[in-house]
Amino acid sequence: MKQTALFKQRFFAAYCFLLLQIVLFSAACKKDAGTMLSDIIYVRHAGADMPAYIYGNVNKKVFIVVLHGGPGDNGLDYRHGRAAAELEKEYVMVYWDQRGQGLSEGKFSKQDVTINLLADDLFALLRVLKYKYGNDVKIFLLGHSWGGELGTAFLLNAHYQKEVKGWIEVDGAHDIPKVNIETAKMILKTANEQIALGNSKKEWQKMVSEVEQTDTCNITVKQGRELNKKARIAEKLMLNDGFINKPESVSLSDAAVWYRQDFLTGSLSAVNFYLLNSAFFNQIETTSYTNQLHKITLPTLLLWGKYDFIVPPALGYSAFNHIQSSEKKIVIFAESGHSPMLNQPGEFVESVTEFIEKFR
Amino acid sequence: MNAKTMLALCLTAFLLSKASAQNTGSSFKTLSPVVSVSYYGNILIKPGIKAGIEMALLQKNVNRKESRNSNQQVRIKQLTASADLGMLLFPGSHSALFNYYTVNYKNIKTETGKFNTVGIGPGIYRSFYSQTYEVDASGNVTPEGTEGRSYFAPVLVFGTGKYLSHGILQSWHFNTSIIFLFDYNTGIVPLLNFEIGTTLNFFKRK
């Protein structure tokens, strides 16, 4: 009898705990008081249902739409760390899960997926933001890595370009064939410098011997993926040798956001959507927008990590030279790799804030 | 009400009626039906709850001598059928309702009351979004309220647990389930969930 009573007590306590958890999460998702916005909306467009997580200060009516990398990442990957927290204090950040990625749902054919379709999805998102928050909202796009390719594709459409006030490209891959060539060059150049300095000599020598075999005039898609893997190793070596600032550690709440995202579902959905979709995969890996960058005429801020081997700074300089905007600026972060928002969050926020305050 | 929903409801009703009809003893040695109630989800962040009914269909006792010195071990191998209804809750975002039917193989150690289960069966899964806006090809926006999508969602369940000797509380269990969502974006995608729960035997005879 005593045992039964004890068991019942424990049982009751466990259910109370669960109930409390539900209540707390309900409360966490309600709109904050005052000017701080906390919203989750879904955009249904062309067979896809895409969530947009909207957080931040609505006072200035400035919305920064984050175009995540990958393909295969998700919007909320960009919400962790100091940079996002600081930007949310001033502006509204829109963390959008692109079609087929993150927690986006839907039903559509692999054959229909193109970069232009994702650009149309982005247009749909902007239409919804203006519908919901008013036509006077000022929208800036911030595209990182693959998000740089998507943002560029979007802005090449003159009609779409009118929807936004400014373009912030962060280590953006708007020309992957060029990325591959520049990655090979940067690895060889940096390797020689590092070998001379005696840093991670063995690893750099191994990388040189492998990369030297690549014919940079004729890099296949497969070789491009191999170079991408080497670029990640190179960035890690530079991080270990102290050239790149250590990224901010992931806090418990950041980890919780990642965990909440059903990471297995999101990742495997992206594998289906991208890696197992050879037509779309090849389109991304072979598209070059450099010769069309002159069509971009809106204020542009290009942010690049000096030691980004994945999308080397040469891409940033190339974009700076080709974009026809009278208001353009490039910032190279001296102690950053592919993600300056994590390596140098303070400087990153400063650059973004200065740009937005000038053009909002 | 579509055909799939009708079929699901009929199957649940059938299992419930069979359960009510078979009121026998309460221990795992009988074919007594049980009701299960579980906390369900990815444990920490996305909570959910699941309730179901499980009924033993077949049972076989297996005698086994594990070592020269030990006594004879008795295992009970059960084939059970269960119907489950549950929900996952994440306010404002991806909440869901699901319903699945599984056939389970259960291996019970009679000495300790511990058991392992593996189950498989069909199911349906319905997601619910927060405020949804539909945008057409011309860029016209139409608010749709709360929307969602339905999926054919077969499930694979692996679990372990232990029988108790606490009256109506028959056992506790910990299960890992993978719900396969068909036609999710461009393919089949698994949804991993964990389950901690208990089974209650309301059909026990005094």
Side-chain angles (χ1 to χ4, degrees):
Chain A
M1 281 302 285
K2 213 173 180 181
Q3 251 186 333
T4 311
L6 186 68
F7 187 83
K8 278 180 183 169
Q9 274 177 8
R10 285 179 183 171
F11 191 74
F12 181 69
Y15 273 87
C16 285
F17 165 74
L18 295 177
L19 196 66
L20 181 69
Q21 197 182 51
I22 291 167
V23 170
L24 284 174
F25 273 90
S26 307
C29 292
K30 282 179 184 162
K31 281 187 181 181
D32 294 341
T35 58
M36 296 307 284
L37 199 64
S38 174
D39 252 341
I40 302 171
I41 59 167
Y42 271 77
V43 177
R44 174 167 281 182
H45 176 253
D49 298 337
M50 300 162 283
Y53 306 87
I54 302 166
Y55 303 105
N57 190 338
V58 75
N59 203 24
K60 292 176 182 170
K61 288 217 152 199
V62 171
F63 284 57
I64 302 175
V65 176
V66 178
L67 310 179
H68 65 70
D73 295 348
N74 64 70
L76 287 177
D77 275 346
Y78 290 78
R79 206 188 175 210
H80 73 80
R82 191 176 135 204
E86 293 289 320
L87 288 172
E88 281 182 21
K89 282 182 194 165
E90 294 295 320
Y91 315 114
V92 177
M93 301 293 286
V94 181
Y95 306 97
W96 168 52
D97 285 355
Q98 297 159 20
R99 171 187 294 262
Q101 299 154 79
L103 286 178
S104 282
E105 292 186 33
K107 189 180 174 183
F108 46 89
S109 155
K110 279 184 183 177
Q111 286 74 37
D112 294 340
V113 179
T114 60
I115 300 174
N116 283 341
L117 178 63
L118 272 82
D120 295 342
D121 289 340
L122 175 55
F123 175 66
L125 170 69
L126 303 192
R127 296 293 305 150
V128 171
L129 292 176
K130 290 192 174 180
Y131 178 89
K132 185 170 171 66
Y133 300 104
N135 271 321
D136 57 338
V137 298
K138 294 149 236 170
I139 296 174
F140 289 79
L141 295 183
L142 188 154
H144 175 240
S145 196
W146 142 252
E149 186 171 357
L150 173 58
T152 303
F154 175 85
L155 294 170
L156 293 180
N157 181 322
H159 172 55
Y160 289 175
Q161 199 172 146
K162 287 179 193 156
E163 296 285 326
V164 295
K165 298 284 281 185
W167 167 227
I168 304 166
E169 186 175 17
V170 186
D171 300 75
H174 54 263
D175 185 338
I176 292 191
K178 189 175 173 60
V179 166
N180 292 334
I181 295 168
E182 294 300 333
T183 295
K185 281 186 193 169
M186 190 174 168
I187 287 175
L188 292 176
K189 182 173 175 281
T190 312
N192 289 329
E193 288 167 4
Q194 295 299 308
I195 290 166
L197 289 169
N199 295 328
S200 305
K201 220 171 166 180
K202 203 175 149 190
E203 290 85 351
W204 283 114
Q205 277 168 343
K206 186 175 176 253
M207 211 177 301
V208 167
S209 66
E210 288 169 359
V211 174
E212 269 177 346
Q213 291 170 10
T214 310
D215 175 10
T216 49
C217 297
N218 186 24
I219 298 176
T220 62
V221 170
K222 195 179 171 190
Q223 286 172 323
R225 297 312 295 175
E226 285 302 314
L227 279 168
N228 182 273
K229 285 178 195 164
K230 288 185 177 62
R232 288 171 197 277
I233 298 168
E235 188 164 326
K236 205 172 175 185
L237 293 177
M238 296 302 277
L239 180 74
N240 293 342
D241 289 331
F243 289 88
I244 298 175
N245 282 353
K246 283 201 169 147
E248 294 172 294
S249 57
V250 177
S251 69
L252 197 61
S253 62
D254 294 336
V257 168
W258 177 75
Y259 189 65
R260 190 190 81 188
Q261 284 294 87
D262 282 330
F263 50 91
L264 182 67
T265 310
S267 306
L268 290 174
S269 174
V271 167
N272 272 335
F273 172 74
Y274 169 58
L275 292 178
L276 298 180
N277 186 355
S278 56
F280 184 50
F281 180 86
N282 285 330
Q283 190 193 9
I284 288 175
E285 297 296 320
T286 56
T287 296
S288 165
Y289 289 128
T290 299
N291 293 333
Q292 297 182 66
L293 290 176
H294 63 273
K295 293 179 187 169
I296 298 176
T297 55
L298 82 170
T300 300
L301 175 65
L302 302 155
L303 304 176
W304 246 267
K306 184 181 174 184
Y307 298 111
D308 181 1
F309 293 84
I310 297 165
V311 184
L315 270 285
Y317 289 117
S318 165
F320 184 79
N321 292 331
H322 284 85
I323 286 173
Q324 286 298 303
S325 170
S326 55
E327 299 287 351
K328 56 185 175 181
K329 185 180 177 185
I330 182 164
V331 178
I332 303 292
F333 296 96
E335 292 163 338
S336 289
H338 188 53
S339 302
M341 60 286 227
L342 300 177
N343 300 122
Q344 291 178 264
E347 292 90 332
F348 181 86
V349 171
E350 206 175 292
S351 298
V352 172
T353 308
E354 187 190 318
F355 176 74
I356 289 176
E357 288 303 315
K358 191 172 176 187
F359 297 108
R360 74 184 167 93
Chain B
M1 193 180 286
N2 63 29
K4 277 182 190 169
T5 316
M6 277 294 287
L7 189 68
L9 289 174
C10 287
L11 198 52
T12 308
F14 169 74
L15 284 171
L16 279 168
S17 63
K18 289 288 280 180
S20 310
Q22 291 195 14
N23 290 342
T24 56
S26 66
S27 94
F28 53 79
K29 292 176 185 171
T30 70
L31 299 179
S32 171
V34 289
V35 172
S36 69
V37 183
S38 309
Y39 172 68
Y40 193 91
N42 59 14
I43 299 295
L44 293 175
I45 308 297
K46 195 161 94 175
I49 192 160
K50 182 174 82 68
I53 186 154
E54 184 181 14
M55 190 179 65
L57 303 172
L58 295 170
Q59 183 169 288
K60 188 181 168 189
N61 289 5
V62 179
N63 294 329
R64 182 196 291 174
K65 197 160 187 175
E66 292 215 323
S67 70
R68 204 175 289 169
N69 300 326
S70 69
N71 295 327
Q72 202 165 46
Q73 308 284 309
V74 180
R75 297 279 186 277
I76 294 177
K77 315 271 186 185
Q78 270 187 350
L79 192 67
T80 69
S82 61
D84 293 277
L85 182 67
M87 62 176 292
L88 292 165
L89 186 70
F90 192 86
S93 179
H94 38 279
S95 296
L97 267 181
F98 59 88
N99 176 210
Y100 58 71
Y101 303 91
T102 53
V103 175
N104 313 293
Y105 170 74
K106 196 180 258 186
N107 186 2
I108 308 160
K109 291 179 184 174
T110 52
E111 300 76 27
T112 57
K114 288 179 182 170
F115 60 86
N116 294 313
T117 331
V118 58
I120 190 166
I124 49 173
Y125 181 97
R126 168 78 187 179
S127 61
F128 294 96
Y129 315 144
S130 54
Q131 178 68 51
T132 304
Y133 298 86
E134 183 157 8
V135 184
D136 66 18
S138 315
N140 299 315
V141 180
T142 315
E144 296 286 331
T146 51
E147 285 287 325
R149 281 186 186 265
S150 298
Y151 300 96
F152 170 59
V155 65
L156 194 59
V157 184
F158 303 95
T160 188
K162 191 179 179 190
Y163 282 95
L164 306 165
S165 51
H166 294 295
I168 204 166
L169 291 173
Q170 199 200 37
S171 67
W172 66 263
H173 57 263
F174 176 79
N175 290 349
T176 302
S177 68
I178 306 168
I179 298 177
F180 294 92
L181 303 172
F182 276 59
D183 282 334
Y184 185 99
N185 290 327
T186 56
I188 302 166
V189 167
L191 184 67
L192 180 69
N193 284 298
F194 302 100
E195 173 186 351
I196 301 167
T198 184
T199 51
L200 310 164
N201 193 339
F202 294 117
F203 308 108
K204 184 179 70 170
R205 272 190 181 157
K206 299 284 178 191

